[in-house]
PDB file of all heavy atoms in Angstrom:
ATOM      1  N   ILE K   1     -48.200 -43.679  60.582  1.00  0.00           N
ATOM      2  CA  ILE K   1     -47.198 -43.820  61.638  1.00  0.00           C
ATOM      3  C   ILE K   1     -45.954 -43.062  61.193  1.00  0.00           C
ATOM      4  O   ILE K   1     -45.410 -43.334  60.122  1.00  0.00           O
ATOM      5  CB  ILE K   1     -46.834 -45.292  61.918  1.00  0.00           C
ATOM      6  CG1 ILE K   1     -48.073 -46.106  62.295  1.00  0.00           C
ATOM      7  CG2 ILE K   1     -45.802 -45.381  63.041  1.00  0.00           C
ATOM      8  CD1 ILE K   1     -47.796 -47.582  62.532  1.00  0.00           C
ATOM      9  N   ALA K   2     -45.515 -42.103  61.984  1.00  0.00           N
ATOM     10  CA  ALA K   2     -44.346 -41.289  61.633  1.00  0.00           C
ATOM     11  C   ALA K   2     -43.270 -41.484  62.689  1.00  0.00           C
ATOM     12  O   ALA K   2     -43.550 -41.857  63.827  1.00  0.00           O
ATOM     13  CB  ALA K   2     -44.733 -39.822  61.535  1.00  0.00           C
ATOM     14  N   MET K   3     -42.027 -41.196  62.290  1.00  0.00           N
ATOM     15  CA  MET K   3     -40.907 -41.409  63.200  1.00  0.00           C
ATOM     16  C   MET K   3     -39.963 -40.226  63.169  1.00  0.00           C
ATOM     17  O   MET K   3     -39.650 -39.691  62.105  1.00  0.00           O
ATOM     18  CB  MET K   3     -40.155 -42.691  62.818  1.00  0.00           C
ATOM     19  CG  MET K   3     -39.095 -43.114  63.815  1.00  0.00           C
ATOM     20  SD  MET K   3     -38.569 -44.824  63.534  1.00  0.00           S
ATOM     21  CE  MET K   3     -37.364 -45.031  64.847  1.00  0.00           C
ATOM     22  N   ILE K   4     -39.535 -39.803  64.366  1.00  0.00           N
ATOM     23  CA  ILE K   4     -38.485 -38.792  64.513  1.00  0.00           C
ATOM     24  C   ILE K   4     -37.221 -39.538  64.906  1.00  0.00           C
ATOM     25  O   ILE K   4     -37.188 -40.215  65.936  1.00  0.00           O
ATOM     26  CB  ILE K   4     -38.837 -37.764  65.607  1.00  0.00           C
ATOM     27  CG1 ILE K   4     -40.210 -37.133  65.352  1.00  0.00           C
ATOM     28  CG2 ILE K   4     -37.778 -36.689  65.688  1.00  0.00           C
ATOM     29  CD1 ILE K   4     -40.708 -36.308  66.520  1.00  0.00           C
ATOM     30  N   PHE K   5     -36.176 -39.389  64.095  1.00  0.00           N
ATOM     31  CA  PHE K   5     -34.962 -40.148  64.335  1.00  0.00           C
ATOM     32  C   PHE K   5     -34.037 -39.405  65.285  1.00  0.00           C
ATOM     33  O   PHE K   5     -34.198 -38.217  65.556  1.00  0.00           O
ATOM     34  CB  PHE K   5     -34.269 -40.469  63.015  1.00  0.00           C
ATOM     35  CG  PHE K   5     -35.070 -41.400  62.152  1.00  0.00           C
ATOM     36  CD1 PHE K   5     -35.932 -40.901  61.184  1.00  0.00           C
ATOM     37  CD2 PHE K   5     -34.983 -42.770  62.320  1.00  0.00           C
ATOM     38  CE1 PHE K   5     -36.684 -41.756  60.400  1.00  0.00           C
ATOM     39  CE2 PHE K   5     -35.736 -43.636  61.545  1.00  0.00           C
ATOM     40  CZ  PHE K   5     -36.593 -43.121  60.574  1.00  0.00           C
ATOM     41  N   GLN K   6     -33.025 -40.130  65.746  1.00  0.00           N
ATOM     42  CA  GLN K   6     -32.183 -39.666  66.840  1.00  0.00           C
ATOM     43  C   GLN K   6     -31.310 -38.468  66.464  1.00  0.00           C
ATOM     44  O   GLN K   6     -31.136 -37.559  67.256  1.00  0.00           O
ATOM     45  CB  GLN K   6     -31.305 -40.829  67.319  1.00  0.00           C
ATOM     46  CG  GLN K   6     -30.542 -40.557  68.594  1.00  0.00           C
ATOM     47  CD  GLN K   6     -29.949 -41.827  69.165  1.00  0.00           C
ATOM     48  OE1 GLN K   6     -30.214 -42.920  68.696  1.00  0.00           O
ATOM     49  NE2 GLN K   6     -29.140 -41.694  70.186  1.00  0.00           N
ATOM     50  N   GLU K   7     -30.774 -38.450  65.254  1.00  0.00           N
ATOM     51  CA  GLU K   7     -29.837 -37.399  64.866  1.00  0.00           C
ATOM     52  C   GLU K   7     -30.342 -36.703  63.606  1.00  0.00           C
ATOM     53  O   GLU K   7     -30.255 -37.259  62.507  1.00  0.00           O
ATOM     54  CB  GLU K   7     -28.446 -38.000  64.641  1.00  0.00           C
ATOM     55  CG  GLU K   7     -27.403 -37.013  64.141  1.00  0.00           C
ATOM     56  CD  GLU K   7     -27.410 -35.685  64.882  1.00  0.00           C
ATOM     57  OE1 GLU K   7     -27.130 -35.681  66.094  1.00  0.00           O
ATOM     58  OE2 GLU K   7     -27.717 -34.658  64.252  1.00  0.00           O
ATOM     59  N   PRO K   8     -30.891 -35.482  63.727  1.00  0.00           N
ATOM     60  CA  PRO K   8     -31.490 -34.820  62.566  1.00  0.00           C
ATOM     61  C   PRO K   8     -30.499 -34.480  61.465  1.00  0.00           C
ATOM     62  O   PRO K   8     -30.866 -34.407  60.302  1.00  0.00           O
ATOM     63  CB  PRO K   8     -32.110 -33.555  63.164  1.00  0.00           C
ATOM     64  CG  PRO K   8     -31.375 -33.318  64.445  1.00  0.00           C
ATOM     65  CD  PRO K   8     -31.011 -34.678  64.948  1.00  0.00           C
ATOM     66  N   MET K   9     -29.230 -34.259  61.797  1.00  0.00           N
ATOM     67  CA  MET K   9     -28.270 -33.887  60.766  1.00  0.00           C
ATOM     68  C   MET K   9     -28.034 -35.033  59.787  1.00  0.00           C
ATOM     69  O   MET K   9     -27.767 -34.813  58.613  1.00  0.00           O
ATOM     70  CB  MET K   9     -26.944 -33.455  61.405  1.00  0.00           C
ATOM     71  CG  MET K   9     -26.052 -32.662  60.461  1.00  0.00           C
ATOM     72  SD  MET K   9     -26.863 -31.174  59.840  1.00  0.00           S
ATOM     73  CE  MET K   9     -25.745 -30.703  58.520  1.00  0.00           C
ATOM     74  N   THR K  10     -28.127 -36.282  60.256  1.00  0.00           N
ATOM     75  CA  THR K  10     -27.959 -37.419  59.360  1.00  0.00           C
ATOM     76  C   THR K  10     -29.286 -37.880  58.773  1.00  0.00           C
ATOM     77  O   THR K  10     -29.302 -38.646  57.810  1.00  0.00           O
ATOM     78  CB  THR K  10     -27.301 -38.603  60.102  1.00  0.00           C
ATOM     79  OG1 THR K  10     -28.088 -38.929  61.252  1.00  0.00           O
ATOM     80  CG2 THR K  10     -25.903 -38.243  60.561  1.00  0.00           C
ATOM     81  N   SER K  11     -30.401 -37.433  59.331  1.00  0.00           N
ATOM     82  CA  SER K  11     -31.714 -37.806  58.811  1.00  0.00           C
ATOM     83  C   SER K  11     -32.166 -36.882  57.688  1.00  0.00           C
ATOM     84  O   SER K  11     -32.924 -37.289  56.807  1.00  0.00           O
ATOM     85  CB  SER K  11     -32.751 -37.788  59.943  1.00  0.00           C
ATOM     86  OG  SER K  11     -32.383 -38.666  60.981  1.00  0.00           O
ATOM     87  N   LEU K  12     -31.732 -35.630  57.728  1.00  0.00           N
ATOM     88  CA  LEU K  12     -32.068 -34.677  56.677  1.00  0.00           C
ATOM     89  C   LEU K  12     -31.034 -34.764  55.558  1.00  0.00           C
ATOM     90  O   LEU K  12     -29.847 -34.956  55.813  1.00  0.00           O
ATOM     91  CB  LEU K  12     -32.106 -33.250  57.243  1.00  0.00           C
ATOM     92  CG  LEU K  12     -33.224 -32.953  58.240  1.00  0.00           C
ATOM     93  CD1 LEU K  12     -32.984 -31.603  58.923  1.00  0.00           C
ATOM     94  CD2 LEU K  12     -34.582 -32.971  57.564  1.00  0.00           C
ATOM     95  N   ASN K  13     -31.503 -34.602  54.325  1.00  0.00           N
ATOM     96  CA  ASN K  13     -30.603 -34.624  53.173  1.00  0.00           C
ATOM     97  C   ASN K  13     -29.873 -33.285  53.080  1.00  0.00           C
ATOM     98  O   ASN K  13     -30.518 -32.244  52.965  1.00  0.00           O
ATOM     99  CB  ASN K  13     -31.401 -34.890  51.896  1.00  0.00           C
ATOM    100  CG  ASN K  13     -30.507 -35.231  50.721  1.00  0.00           C
ATOM    101  OD1 ASN K  13     -29.457 -34.622  50.526  1.00  0.00           O
ATOM    102  ND2 ASN K  13     -30.921 -36.213  49.948  1.00  0.00           N
ATOM    103  N   PRO K  14     -28.544 -33.274  53.128  1.00  0.00           N
ATOM    104  CA  PRO K  14     -27.812 -32.002  53.182  1.00  0.00           C
ATOM    105  C   PRO K  14     -27.878 -31.181  51.893  1.00  0.00           C
ATOM    106  O   PRO K  14     -27.555 -29.998  51.914  1.00  0.00           O
ATOM    107  CB  PRO K  14     -26.373 -32.436  53.484  1.00  0.00           C
ATOM    108  CG  PRO K  14     -26.276 -33.834  52.974  1.00  0.00           C
ATOM    109  CD  PRO K  14     -27.630 -34.431  53.191  1.00  0.00           C
ATOM    110  N   VAL K  15     -28.267 -31.784  50.764  1.00  0.00           N
ATOM    111  CA  VAL K  15     -28.226 -31.062  49.490  1.00  0.00           C
ATOM    112  C   VAL K  15     -29.595 -30.533  49.054  1.00  0.00           C
ATOM    113  O   VAL K  15     -29.714 -29.944  47.974  1.00  0.00           O
ATOM    114  CB  VAL K  15     -27.621 -31.943  48.374  1.00  0.00           C
ATOM    115  CG1 VAL K  15     -26.218 -32.374  48.732  1.00  0.00           C
ATOM    116  CG2 VAL K  15     -28.496 -33.156  48.090  1.00  0.00           C
ATOM    117  N   PHE K  16     -30.631 -30.740  49.867  1.00  0.00           N
ATOM    118  CA  PHE K  16     -31.958 -30.225  49.552  1.00  0.00           C
ATOM    119  C   PHE K  16     -32.404 -29.232  50.625  1.00  0.00           C
ATOM    120  O   PHE K  16     -32.128 -29.425  51.811  1.00  0.00           O
ATOM    121  CB  PHE K  16     -32.987 -31.355  49.453  1.00  0.00           C
ATOM    122  CG  PHE K  16     -32.841 -32.204  48.230  1.00  0.00           C
ATOM    123  CD1 PHE K  16     -32.205 -33.438  48.295  1.00  0.00           C
ATOM    124  CD2 PHE K  16     -33.332 -31.770  47.006  1.00  0.00           C
ATOM    125  CE1 PHE K  16     -32.058 -34.220  47.175  1.00  0.00           C
ATOM    126  CE2 PHE K  16     -33.198 -32.551  45.869  1.00  0.00           C
ATOM    127  CZ  PHE K  16     -32.559 -33.769  45.947  1.00  0.00           C
ATOM    128  N   ARG K  17     -33.093 -28.204  50.193  1.00  0.00           N
ATOM    129  CA  ARG K  17     -33.633 -27.221  51.127  1.00  0.00           C
ATOM    130  C   ARG K  17     -34.695 -27.891  51.998  1.00  0.00           C
ATOM    131  O   ARG K  17     -35.363 -28.833  51.573  1.00  0.00           O
ATOM    132  CB  ARG K  17     -34.231 -26.036  50.365  1.00  0.00           C
ATOM    133  CG  ARG K  17     -33.240 -25.336  49.452  1.00  0.00           C
ATOM    134  CD  ARG K  17     -33.904 -24.169  48.726  1.00  0.00           C
ATOM    135  NE  ARG K  17     -33.073 -23.678  47.633  1.00  0.00           N
ATOM    136  CZ  ARG K  17     -32.114 -22.765  47.757  1.00  0.00           C
ATOM    137  NH1 ARG K  17     -31.855 -22.255  48.952  1.00  0.00           N
ATOM    138  NH2 ARG K  17     -31.412 -22.379  46.712  1.00  0.00           N
ATOM    139  N   ILE K  18     -34.861 -27.378  53.219  1.00  0.00           N
ATOM    140  CA  ILE K  18     -35.771 -28.050  54.149  1.00  0.00           C
ATOM    141  C   ILE K  18     -37.217 -27.983  53.656  1.00  0.00           C
ATOM    142  O   ILE K  18     -38.001 -28.913  53.872  1.00  0.00           O
ATOM    143  CB  ILE K  18     -35.644 -27.476  55.579  1.00  0.00           C
ATOM    144  CG1 ILE K  18     -36.081 -26.016  55.633  1.00  0.00           C
ATOM    145  CG2 ILE K  18     -34.237 -27.657  56.107  1.00  0.00           C
ATOM    146  CD1 ILE K  18     -36.312 -25.523  57.033  1.00  0.00           C
ATOM    147  N   GLY K  19     -37.584 -26.897  52.979  1.00  0.00           N
ATOM    148  CA  GLY K  19     -38.937 -26.803  52.443  1.00  0.00           C
ATOM    149  C   GLY K  19     -39.226 -27.899  51.442  1.00  0.00           C
ATOM    150  O   GLY K  19     -40.320 -28.483  51.431  1.00  0.00           O
ATOM    151  N   VAL K  20     -38.242 -28.208  50.598  1.00  0.00           N
ATOM    152  CA  VAL K  20     -38.398 -29.274  49.605  1.00  0.00           C
ATOM    153  C   VAL K  20     -38.562 -30.628  50.293  1.00  0.00           C
ATOM    154  O   VAL K  20     -39.375 -31.464  49.870  1.00  0.00           O
ATOM    155  CB  VAL K  20     -37.178 -29.295  48.659  1.00  0.00           C
ATOM    156  CG1 VAL K  20     -37.212 -30.530  47.747  1.00  0.00           C
ATOM    157  CG2 VAL K  20     -37.127 -28.019  47.830  1.00  0.00           C
ATOM    158  N   GLN K  21     -37.805 -30.848  51.371  1.00  0.00           N
ATOM    159  CA  GLN K  21     -37.864 -32.141  52.062  1.00  0.00           C
ATOM    160  C   GLN K  21     -39.199 -32.347  52.772  1.00  0.00           C
ATOM    161  O   GLN K  21     -39.760 -33.443  52.760  1.00  0.00           O
ATOM    162  CB  GLN K  21     -36.697 -32.253  53.040  1.00  0.00           C
ATOM    163  CG  GLN K  21     -35.347 -32.229  52.337  1.00  0.00           C
ATOM    164  CD  GLN K  21     -34.179 -32.549  53.247  1.00  0.00           C
ATOM    165  OE1 GLN K  21     -34.154 -33.603  53.885  1.00  0.00           O
ATOM    166  NE2 GLN K  21     -33.203 -31.653  53.317  1.00  0.00           N
ATOM    167  N   ILE K  22     -39.718 -31.293  53.393  1.00  0.00           N
ATOM    168  CA  ILE K  22     -41.031 -31.414  54.038  1.00  0.00           C
ATOM    169  C   ILE K  22     -42.114 -31.594  52.977  1.00  0.00           C
ATOM    170  O   ILE K  22     -43.042 -32.399  53.139  1.00  0.00           O
ATOM    171  CB  ILE K  22     -41.324 -30.179  54.909  1.00  0.00           C
ATOM    172  CG1 ILE K  22     -40.273 -30.053  56.024  1.00  0.00           C
ATOM    173  CG2 ILE K  22     -42.718 -30.275  55.524  1.00  0.00           C
ATOM    174  CD1 ILE K  22     -40.389 -28.768  56.825  1.00  0.00           C
ATOM    175  N   GLU K  23     -41.994 -30.854  51.882  1.00  0.00           N
ATOM    176  CA  GLU K  23     -42.983 -30.958  50.800  1.00  0.00           C
ATOM    177  C   GLU K  23     -43.010 -32.365  50.209  1.00  0.00           C
ATOM    178  O   GLU K  23     -44.068 -32.883  49.845  1.00  0.00           O
ATOM    179  CB  GLU K  23     -42.656 -29.939  49.710  1.00  0.00           C
ATOM    180  CG  GLU K  23     -43.707 -29.855  48.626  1.00  0.00           C
ATOM    181  CD  GLU K  23     -43.373 -28.815  47.570  1.00  0.00           C
ATOM    182  OE1 GLU K  23     -42.580 -27.897  47.845  1.00  0.00           O
ATOM    183  OE2 GLU K  23     -43.921 -28.938  46.452  1.00  0.00           O
ATOM    184  N   GLU K  24     -41.833 -32.997  50.126  1.00  0.00           N
ATOM    185  CA  GLU K  24     -41.772 -34.356  49.601  1.00  0.00           C
ATOM    186  C   GLU K  24     -42.561 -35.327  50.474  1.00  0.00           C
ATOM    187  O   GLU K  24     -43.245 -36.220  49.967  1.00  0.00           O
ATOM    188  CB  GLU K  24     -40.310 -34.808  49.517  1.00  0.00           C
ATOM    189  CG  GLU K  24     -40.094 -36.250  49.058  1.00  0.00           C
ATOM    190  CD  GLU K  24     -40.424 -36.466  47.592  1.00  0.00           C
ATOM    191  OE1 GLU K  24     -40.724 -35.485  46.887  1.00  0.00           O
ATOM    192  OE2 GLU K  24     -40.379 -37.626  47.148  1.00  0.00           O
ATOM    193  N   ALA K  25     -42.486 -35.146  51.797  1.00  0.00           N
ATOM    194  CA  ALA K  25     -43.244 -36.005  52.710  1.00  0.00           C
ATOM    195  C   ALA K  25     -44.745 -35.868  52.472  1.00  0.00           C
ATOM    196  O   ALA K  25     -45.504 -36.827  52.638  1.00  0.00           O
ATOM    197  CB  ALA K  25     -42.900 -35.658  54.159  1.00  0.00           C
ATOM    198  N   ILE K  26     -45.187 -34.670  52.081  1.00  0.00           N
ATOM    199  CA  ILE K  26     -46.608 -34.435  51.788  1.00  0.00           C
ATOM    200  C   ILE K  26     -46.970 -35.006  50.423  1.00  0.00           C
ATOM    201  O   ILE K  26     -48.013 -35.658  50.261  1.00  0.00           O
ATOM    202  CB  ILE K  26     -46.915 -32.921  51.843  1.00  0.00           C
ATOM    203  CG1 ILE K  26     -46.586 -32.360  53.225  1.00  0.00           C
ATOM    204  CG2 ILE K  26     -48.373 -32.657  51.481  1.00  0.00           C
ATOM    205  CD1 ILE K  26     -46.566 -30.843  53.278  1.00  0.00           C
ATOM    206  N   ARG K  27     -46.116 -34.781  49.427  1.00  0.00           N
ATOM    207  CA  ARG K  27     -46.410 -35.186  48.050  1.00  0.00           C
ATOM    208  C   ARG K  27     -46.594 -36.689  47.926  1.00  0.00           C
ATOM    209  O   ARG K  27     -47.450 -37.168  47.165  1.00  0.00           O
ATOM    210  CB  ARG K  27     -45.269 -34.726  47.130  1.00  0.00           C
ATOM    211  CG  ARG K  27     -45.548 -34.947  45.639  1.00  0.00           C
ATOM    212  CD  ARG K  27     -44.312 -34.665  44.811  1.00  0.00           C
ATOM    213  NE  ARG K  27     -43.240 -35.598  45.118  1.00  0.00           N
ATOM    214  CZ  ARG K  27     -43.204 -36.849  44.672  1.00  0.00           C
ATOM    215  NH1 ARG K  27     -44.175 -37.318  43.901  1.00  0.00           N
ATOM    216  NH2 ARG K  27     -42.202 -37.638  44.994  1.00  0.00           N
ATOM    217  N   VAL K  28     -45.797 -37.458  48.679  1.00  0.00           N
ATOM    218  CA  VAL K  28     -45.851 -38.913  48.579  1.00  0.00           C
ATOM    219  C   VAL K  28     -47.204 -39.459  49.018  1.00  0.00           C
ATOM    220  O   VAL K  28     -47.698 -40.453  48.470  1.00  0.00           O
ATOM    221  CB  VAL K  28     -44.715 -39.537  49.422  1.00  0.00           C
ATOM    222  CG1 VAL K  28     -44.901 -41.042  49.579  1.00  0.00           C
ATOM    223  CG2 VAL K  28     -43.367 -39.240  48.792  1.00  0.00           C
ATOM    224  N   HIS K  29     -47.838 -38.804  49.982  1.00  0.00           N
ATOM    225  CA  HIS K  29     -49.050 -39.366  50.582  1.00  0.00           C
ATOM    226  C   HIS K  29     -50.328 -38.567  50.314  1.00  0.00           C
ATOM    227  O   HIS K  29     -51.422 -39.057  50.620  1.00  0.00           O
ATOM    228  CB  HIS K  29     -48.862 -39.488  52.102  1.00  0.00           C
ATOM    229  CG  HIS K  29     -47.782 -40.443  52.498  1.00  0.00           C
ATOM    230  ND1 HIS K  29     -47.908 -41.809  52.371  1.00  0.00           N
ATOM    231  CD2 HIS K  29     -46.535 -40.228  53.008  1.00  0.00           C
ATOM    232  CE1 HIS K  29     -46.801 -42.400  52.798  1.00  0.00           C
ATOM    233  NE2 HIS K  29     -45.961 -41.464  53.188  1.00  0.00           N
ATOM    234  N   ARG K  30     -50.219 -37.372  49.771  1.00  0.00           N
ATOM    235  CA  ARG K  30     -51.417 -36.555  49.555  1.00  0.00           C
ATOM    236  C   ARG K  30     -51.482 -36.044  48.119  1.00  0.00           C
ATOM    237  O   ARG K  30     -50.461 -35.684  47.538  1.00  0.00           O
ATOM    238  CB  ARG K  30     -51.428 -35.361  50.519  1.00  0.00           C
ATOM    239  CG  ARG K  30     -51.646 -35.745  51.964  1.00  0.00           C
ATOM    240  CD  ARG K  30     -51.976 -34.520  52.791  1.00  0.00           C
ATOM    241  NE  ARG K  30     -52.246 -34.843  54.168  1.00  0.00           N
ATOM    242  CZ  ARG K  30     -52.694 -33.967  55.059  1.00  0.00           C
ATOM    243  NH1 ARG K  30     -52.905 -32.704  54.696  1.00  0.00           N
ATOM    244  NH2 ARG K  30     -52.942 -34.327  56.306  1.00  0.00           N
TER     245      ARG K  30
END
């Protein structure tokens, strides 16, 4: 079950590159 939150600027970590953040979502579960 995944969720898209209302405001992406506050949902994304401002100090990490977007590739790292997406990769983290994969690493945790795969």
Side-chain angles (χ1 to χ4, degrees):
I1 303 178
M3 188 165 181
I4 306 170
F5 294 94
Q6 189 168 352
E7 176 45 64
M9 198 58 192
T10 56
S11 302
L12 293 169
N13 193 319
V15 301
F16 288 100
R17 302 180 193 273
I18 65 165
V20 171
Q21 297 189 56
I22 299 173
E23 187 179 339
E24 177 70 6
I26 301 167
R27 187 188 64 77
V28 168
H29 296 288
R30 291 194 178 187

